[in-house]
């Protein structure tokens, strides 16, 4: 449950609005970095790659700001219930977004290396994976901002689709890599880019799980670990 | 029925001195408190003259649990607490107008119940520490002496046991004949708790026991409350919600004479079911 009733202390509401706005702004910057990195790769645009790498610092600084505001909020206001969950979730969300931006940087660096070589047609294979990862990241942030547990929980299943697509791509790239030839280095870069996009899907799923906790105080992380041991053995 | 007896025998064997081991983790479930009820409140209405201050309050307080009553001033939480040992009998015009309060299987409003005996079973610690202007020893021995205990060895044993349970023995054992009023505020409050325990109650009521204490003294009293749960059922009224989260197993939220929500303390402070509870605990009451 969440209350829209204003707090008696105006500074309380200001601090919480500030925390929430910082997370939303950080998410925007992390997504922008990812977009620039992928456009840099797909459209062979070095400037966008450089911008994605340079702007990672802004995301890092945003993470520090969010942690500082979160700590101050905890110390000053001793929030409970949905307010406490907002602080905890915001700080965890910031950590996940920082990792998203790190992966965007990795992609931009791989793209930069690929730009020094002739164009590789298979780069376009990554577009659907990027579209899926980006959509999941957007939905994860919507789940956080709207306190939408249903949307947040849906990311668990959708991440499996992304994993399957990632697996297929890796199989394609590695088989071509094994064939050798002058394109081998490009395929290696594409494997790493695909891996980063898959990890971004995982991070979006984490944010979605935290959004469920924010909305409903339910911790749905690692739910598969609660399956009976016999199931795990059977799966193996 | 034991509440009727003049001087009932002690029901518990003499227990070894309390240690300062870490208290058990409070119950983590969300469900309303379970277990054998020490106090059953059934549909209680209470009025001061024409003014109704409690409305149809029903809850069970389980044995050996700490239950916190929270709510804004005037919500009825202290009134309900004072019902448990009929302290409200002393207020002209104050009365339970409906429902019943059952302690040890007996309706405490029954005419056959002796309020003095009831208060021996249901001790009370007040907001402002109130030791008698006597020695530390005499303060603790006062209750047993009133109940007819004259043997010095027995009194010595009760005084030591009570002061140990109140985590005060090590601080005062060498000055038991000093004036109680010379102790620090926190020590005086713990002495009052020891004095309450000296007559071997089952239930201890605490009405904002730390509101007049500094943070260190408050921590000592809270540590004491957590340890006492092993021996007593404790009901504490507090305005300090952090205190309720620290010391209580269950929490009841009162508002305008109604009990709005009663659940495990963790549930109340992590994810309350009622919006009024959420607004109160999170500081949004307008």
């Amino acid at each position: 449950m969440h209350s829209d009733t204003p707090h008696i202390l105006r500074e309380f509401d200001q601090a919480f609005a500030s925390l929430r706005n910082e997370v939303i702004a950080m998410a925007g910057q992390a997504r922008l970095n990812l977009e620039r990195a992928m456009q840099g790769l797909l459209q062979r645009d070095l400037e966008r790659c450089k911008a994605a790498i340079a702007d990672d610092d802004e995301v890092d600084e945003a993470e520090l700001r969010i942690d500082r505001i979160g700590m101050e909020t905890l110390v000053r206001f001793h929030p409970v219930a949905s307010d406490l969950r907002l602080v905890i979730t915001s700080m965890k969300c910031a950590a996940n977004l920082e990792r998203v931006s790190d992966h965007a940087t990795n992609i931009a660096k791989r793209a930069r290396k690929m730009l020094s070589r002739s164009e590789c047609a298979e780069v376009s294979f990554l577009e659907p994976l990027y579209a899926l990862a980006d959509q999941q990241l957007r939905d994860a942030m919507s789940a956080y901002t709207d306190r939408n547990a249903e949307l947040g929980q849906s990311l668990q299943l959708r991440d499996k689709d992304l994993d399957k697509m990632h697996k297929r791509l890796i199989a394609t790239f590695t088989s071509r890599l094994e064939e050798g030839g002058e394109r081998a280095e490009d395929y290696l870069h594409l494997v790493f880019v695909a891996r980063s996009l898959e990890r971004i899907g995982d991070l979006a799923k984490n944010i979605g799980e935290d959004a469920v906790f924010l909305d409903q105080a339910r911790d749905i992380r690692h739910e598969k670990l609660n399956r009976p041991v016999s199931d795990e053995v059977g799966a193996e | 029925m034991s509440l009727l007896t003049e001087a009932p025998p002690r029901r518990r064997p003499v227990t070894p001195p309390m240690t300062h081991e870490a208290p058990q983790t409070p119950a983590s479930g969300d469900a309303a408190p379970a277990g054998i009820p020490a106090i059953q409140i059934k549909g209680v209405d209470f009025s001061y003259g024409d003014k109704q201050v409690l409305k149809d309050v029903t809850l069970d307080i389980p044995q050996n649990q700490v239950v916190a009553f929270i709510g804004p001033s005037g919500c009825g939480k202290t009134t309900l607490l004072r019902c448990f040992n009929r302290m409200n009998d002393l207020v002209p015009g104050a009365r339970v107008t409906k429902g019943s309060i059952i302690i040890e299987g007996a309706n405490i409003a029954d005419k056959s119940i002796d309020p003095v005996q009831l208060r021996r079973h249901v001790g009370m610690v007040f907001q402002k520490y109130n030791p008698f202007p006597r020695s530390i020893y005499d303060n603790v021995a006062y209750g047993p002496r009133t109940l007819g205990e004259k043997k010095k060895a027995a009194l010595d044993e009760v005084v030591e046991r009570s002061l140990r349970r109140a985590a005060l023995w090590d601080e005062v054992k060498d000055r038991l004949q000093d004036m109680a009023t010379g102790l620090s505020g926190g020590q005086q409050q713990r002495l009052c708790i020891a004095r309450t325990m000296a007559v071997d109650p089952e239930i201890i009521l605490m009405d904002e026991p730390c509101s007049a204490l500094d943070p260190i003294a408050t921590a000592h009293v809270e540590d004491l409350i957590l340890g006492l749960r092993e021996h007593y059922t404790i009901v504490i009224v507090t305005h300090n919600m952090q205190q309720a989260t620290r010391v209580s197993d269950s929490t009841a939220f009162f508002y305008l004479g109604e009990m709005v929500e009663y659940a495990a303390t963790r549930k109340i402070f992590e994810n309350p079911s009622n919006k009024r509870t959420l607004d109160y605990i999170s500081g949004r009451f307008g």
Side-chain angles (χ1 to χ4, degrees):
Chain A
M1 190 193 299
H2 160 67
S3 179
D4 291 323
T5 311
H7 199 277
I8 294 167
L9 286 172
R10 272 174 296 173
E11 284 200 15
F12 182 99
D13 285 336
Q14 287 164 4
F16 276 72
S18 160
L19 185 65
R20 199 165 165 275
N21 292 339
E22 283 282 357
V23 174
I24 293 167
M26 182 183 181
Q29 185 64 54
R31 276 195 62 224
L32 180 63
N33 289 355
L34 176 62
E35 186 184 334
R36 282 174 174 161
M38 285 305 297
Q39 284 179 352
L41 176 70
L42 296 167
Q43 296 169 16
R44 298 182 64 78
D45 185 337
L46 184 62
E47 288 310 309
R48 282 182 175 161
C49 294
K50 284 180 179 172
I53 294 165
D55 284 355
D56 183 48
D57 286 348
E58 290 193 19
V59 175
D60 291 347
E61 284 164 17
E63 185 192 20
L64 295 176
R65 274 200 306 278
I66 288 163
D67 280 359
R68 197 189 63 241
I69 296 170
M71 285 291 289
E72 281 176 7
T73 309
L74 291 172
V75 170
R76 288 185 68 196
F77 302 115
H78 304 282
V80 294
S82 55
D83 297 326
L84 178 60
R85 295 201 300 277
L86 179 67
V87 177
I88 292 170
T89 306
S90 298
M91 292 168 81
K92 290 174 74 176
C93 188
N96 282 311
L97 290 171
E98 192 274 333
R99 293 291 300 137
V100 167
S101 187
D102 282 349
H103 282 294
T105 304
N106 292 344
I107 292 169
K109 285 178 178 172
R110 295 275 168 193
R112 204 170 52 180
K113 285 178 184 165
M114 289 182 75
L115 294 187
S116 62
R117 299 163 59 79
S118 61
E119 192 167 351
C120 175
E122 285 85 347
V123 164
S124 64
F125 290 7
L126 289 169
E127 280 186 78
L129 190 66
Y130 164 58
L132 209 55
D134 187 52
Q135 183 62 50
Q136 289 189 193
L137 190 56
R138 261 189 293 168
D139 286 348
M141 289 315 300
S142 294
Y144 164 83
T145 52
D146 301 341
R147 295 177 186 261
N148 185 339
E150 198 179 339
L151 182 61
Q153 188 154 14
S154 74
L155 289 158
Q156 279 186 329
L157 269 179
R158 289 162 59 193
D159 185 51
K160 294 195 186 308
D161 294 337
L162 193 139
D163 289 347
K164 282 178 196 163
M165 190 185 286
H166 165 253
K167 216 171 178 177
R168 284 198 302 272
L169 271 177
I170 294 295
T172 304
F173 292 144
T174 48
S175 70
R176 296 191 185 191
L177 188 61
E178 283 163 6
E179 290 168 9
E182 62 179 22
R183 283 280 165 217
E185 187 184 325
D186 291 322
Y187 297 136
L188 190 62
H189 288 312
L190 293 180
V191 166
F192 280 109
V193 172
R195 172 73 183 146
S196 282
L197 292 171
E198 187 272 330
R199 285 294 299 135
I200 287 169
D202 289 343
L203 295 165
K205 184 191 73 171
N206 292 348
I207 294 170
E209 289 169 345
D210 288 340
V212 175
F213 177 68
L214 174 64
D215 185 25
Q216 298 182 340
R218 275 194 306 131
D219 192 346
I220 62 166
R221 295 171 304 163
H222 312 303
E223 280 195 336
K224 66 179 178 187
L225 298 178
N226 295 332
R227 280 189 306 196
V229 176
S230 57
D231 283 3
E232 297 294 323
V233 173
E236 286 173 7
Chain B
M1 209 281 293
S2 59
L3 293 182
L4 297 172
T5 56
E6 278 300 311
R10 294 191 178 281
R11 287 164 303 285
R12 293 187 208 93
V14 173
T15 52
M18 268 182 59
T19 61
H20 290 280
E21 289 171 4
Q24 291 178 347
T25 308
S28 60
D30 291 349
I36 304 163
I39 307 173
Q40 291 176 283
I41 302 112
K42 297 179 176 176
V44 165
D45 284 0
F46 186 93
S47 297
Y48 290 113
D50 295 335
K51 188 171 188 258
Q52 187 175 357
V53 290
L54 288 175
K55 298 167 190 166
D56 197 27
V57 174
T58 297
L59 75 156
D60 284 356
I61 293 173
Q63 284 180 1
N64 298 98
Q65 281 210 4
V66 181
V67 175
F69 287 177
I70 61 168
S73 297
C75 69
K77 55 191 187 301
T78 296
T79 296
L80 181 61
L81 191 81
R82 291 166 67 92
C83 285
F84 297 157
N85 64 353
R86 286 179 51 180
M87 288 286 282
N88 290 319
D89 288 7
L90 309 172
V91 181
R95 66 193 192 285
V96 173
T97 54
K98 193 195 89 178
S100 57
I101 296 172
I102 312 292
I103 295 176
E104 293 187 13
N107 183 343
I108 61 167
D110 197 286
K111 283 181 182 163
S112 60
I113 298 290
D114 175 0
V116 175
Q117 282 304 315
L118 174 66
R119 287 170 201 146
R120 207 185 70 64
H121 288 257
V122 186
M124 191 157 191
V125 176
F126 297 89
Q127 186 172 357
K128 177 70 183 154
Y129 37 87
N130 53 355
F132 304 133
R134 295 184 180 186
S135 71
I136 295 167
Y137 184 99
D138 286 346
N139 263 274
V140 183
Y142 182 86
R145 278 177 177 149
T146 307
L147 291 170
E149 186 60 74
K150 289 177 183 165
K151 292 177 188 165
K152 185 172 184 312
L155 288 172
D156 285 353
E157 187 260 318
V158 170
V159 168
E160 180 174 343
R161 188 179 73 240
S162 302
L163 287 171
R164 280 190 187 279
R165 280 194 176 174
L168 195 58
W169 174 251
D170 289 342
E171 295 167 50
V172 301
K173 64 184 175 188
D174 299 324
R175 47 178 174 141
L176 292 173
Q177 297 309 320
D178 286 6
M179 285 293 283
T181 46
L183 296 171
S184 71
Q187 288 173 325
Q188 288 190 45
Q189 188 62 303
R190 279 183 284 149
L191 178 66
C192 292
I193 295 171
R195 188 178 63 190
T196 302
M197 291 188 292
V199 293
D200 206 15
E202 269 86 23
I203 298 162
I204 300 178
L205 311 176
M206 296 185 170
D207 188 4
E208 297 184 56
C210 301
S211 62
L213 303 181
D214 67 33
I216 300 298
T218 296
H220 280 299
V221 173
E222 288 181 2
D223 185 54
L224 173 61
I225 291 169
L226 286 165
L228 291 178
R229 182 171 46 182
E230 186 184 337
H231 304 281
Y232 307 97
T233 302
I234 297 174
V235 187
I236 179 171
V237 165
T238 180
H239 279 291
N240 181 335
M241 281 179 280
Q242 274 76 39
Q243 180 169 73
T245 61
R246 286 191 295 264
V247 304
S248 69
D249 300 289
S250 313
T251 297
F253 168 58
F254 292 84
Y255 184 57
L256 297 175
E258 291 176 35
M259 193 191 70
V260 175
E261 191 167 353
Y262 179 41
T265 296
R266 183 177 161 181
K267 162 79 175 153
I268 292 282
F269 287 94
E270 287 185 8
N271 192 27
S273 300
N274 191 292
K275 186 172 179 298
R276 283 184 295 177
T277 312
L278 176 63
D279 281 349
Y280 179 71
I281 62 167
S282 60
R284 288 186 168 82
F285 249 53

